[in-house]
Amino acid sequence: MSTCATVSRDLDEPISGTAATATTWLLLEQPGPWGAKALTSSHLDPALGRALETAATDTGVRIALIRRPGRHADPAPSRVRQVYAAHTVPGNAWLHSATTTDPRDLLGLDFAALGAGDPHSFGSALGGRAHTGDPLALVCTNGKRDRCCALLGRPLAAELAASGVDGAWEVTHLGGHRFSPTVLVLPYGYAYGRVGAHTVKEILQGVQEGRVVVEGCRGGSAWERPGQAAELAVRTATREYATDALSVVRTDGGAPRWEVTVAHTDGRHWRVIVAQGASLPPRPESCGASVLGAPARMDVVAVRELATALSN
């Protein structure tokens, strides 16, 4: 059976620079079935889902629903739900957790502050505190958005959970279903595609060691797509894998060509030229697409270390 994921893999479509963008992820446990637009088409009150979407608009916060891998029978109505917030910007990456019996509590959050990296309202509104458990591996499994996420994501999530990965969750949407199975790792916010359980375990081990695995990496969600590609290119060129070592500090230009400045915490800087191309030949961008498309791709043209550090 040909799917958007098998076609993308067969055509060796580049994966770098394809991650969803969010400085902060807000995750709410919602058991049971999910629709294509899960915040308003699940057993979560759709009015609450719309209110949360509105509250998060233009704040840098991306909201997603999560559930434990397994059968998705309807839960008891009074179930305690897990909530996570994770900020992904290097130098201030954090993951906080909380529980609630009333998802409306999330409306008490200061979304602008969360997007900027301030977790205080997560504590005051939800009693949240720093997460002390394992890093999270969020596997996209929402077959209502694309069947590849269910066909490839659900078995991966189940395998991770069965093998003892405590941080394994199913998630509603990470974008790029043609790269299924897709995984987001928190707190650092790096997304991965076309991964198996063994690779995910290596990635999670890297997170615990403060190290980024670049193989199969789609990019860090803290950056826009050109920045994602540029940062990964510098990591590959310099073999610098420490999670907080690099930051995208400047992006000049616009589609189809950007000059991205990547900085190291030791003062070094690189200028990276990123060009937007089209993935050819045309292919299905999702299994539900009625026409073939040529998805945008981020091609790194040049990586050059600058002679002196830039001034602000």
Side-chain angles (χ1 to χ4, degrees), residues 204-222:
L204 292 173
Q205 181 64 35
V207 172
Q208 293 178 318
E209 297 171 357
R211 174 174 51 82
V212 177
V213 173
V214 298
E215 185 175 357
C217 191
R218 300 175 59 194
S221 73

Side-chain angles (χ1 to χ4, degrees), residues 10 17 54 64 119 130 166 193 242 260 282:
D10 289 346
T54 299
D166 291 336
V260 181

Side-chain angles (χ1 to χ4, degrees), residues 5 21 65 72 77 90 112 165 185 192 213 244 246 273 290 292:
T21 300
L65 303 181
H72 303 138
V165 177
V185 177
Y192 292 83
V213 173
D244 284 338
L246 298 179
I273 307 300
S290 58
L292 299 181

Side-chain angles (χ1 to χ4, degrees), residues 171-260:
V171 67
T172 47
H173 186 45
L174 298 178
H177 12 257
R178 64 189 183 278
F179 303 121
S180 295
T182 61
V183 178
L184 177 73
V185 177
L186 295 175
Y188 297 112
Y190 285 90
Y192 292 83
R194 303 175 185 147
V195 291
H198 179 71
T199 303
V200 174
K201 291 177 184 178
E202 289 182 353
I203 292 165
L204 292 173
Q205 181 64 35
V207 172
Q208 293 178 318
E209 297 171 357
R211 174 174 51 82
V212 177
V213 173
V214 298
E215 185 175 357
C217 191
R218 300 175 59 194
S221 73
W223 321 122
E224 298 292 336
R225 291 186 61 186
Q228 295 172 14
E231 189 234 24
L232 288 175
V234 172
R235 287 193 180 279
T236 300
T238 62
R239 298 183 179 180
E240 175 56 84
Y241 305 121
T243 49
D244 284 338
L246 298 179
S247 293
V248 175
V249 296
R250 182 170 176 171
T251 302
D252 297 311
R257 187 179 178 89
W258 298 265
E259 291 190 3
V260 181

Side-chain angles (χ1 to χ4, degrees), residues 67-140:
R67 64 192 176 197
R68 285 297 190 184
R71 296 183 65 248
H72 303 138
D74 292 345
S78 61
R79 177 169 175 169
V80 175
R81 301 167 189 240
Q82 183 68 49
V83 187
Y84 294 105
H87 190 61
T88 63
V89 176
N92 187 34
W94 47 258
L95 173 61
H96 287 207
S97 64
T99 58
T100 183
T101 56
D102 186 354
R104 290 174 295 182
D105 291 340
L106 273 67
L107 293 175
L109 295 170
D110 184 336
F111 282 82
L114 280 178
D118 180 353
H120 285 93
S121 71
F122 193 76
S124 58
L126 295 168
R129 59 187 63 191
H131 176 66
T132 57
D134 291 341
L136 305 186
L138 309 171
V139 184
C140 187

Side-chain angles (χ1 to χ4, degrees), residues 38-86:
L39 275 180
T40 53
S41 57
S42 69
H43 288 174
L44 184 71
D45 178 1
L48 173 59
R50 286 189 291 271
L52 289 171
E53 286 179 332
T54 299
T57 300
D58 297 327
T59 64
V61 177
R62 187 179 178 106
I63 306 173
L65 303 181
I66 57 175
R67 64 192 176 197
R68 285 297 190 184
R71 296 183 65 248
H72 303 138
D74 292 345
S78 61
R79 177 169 175 169
V80 175
R81 301 167 189 240
Q82 183 68 49
V83 187
Y84 294 105

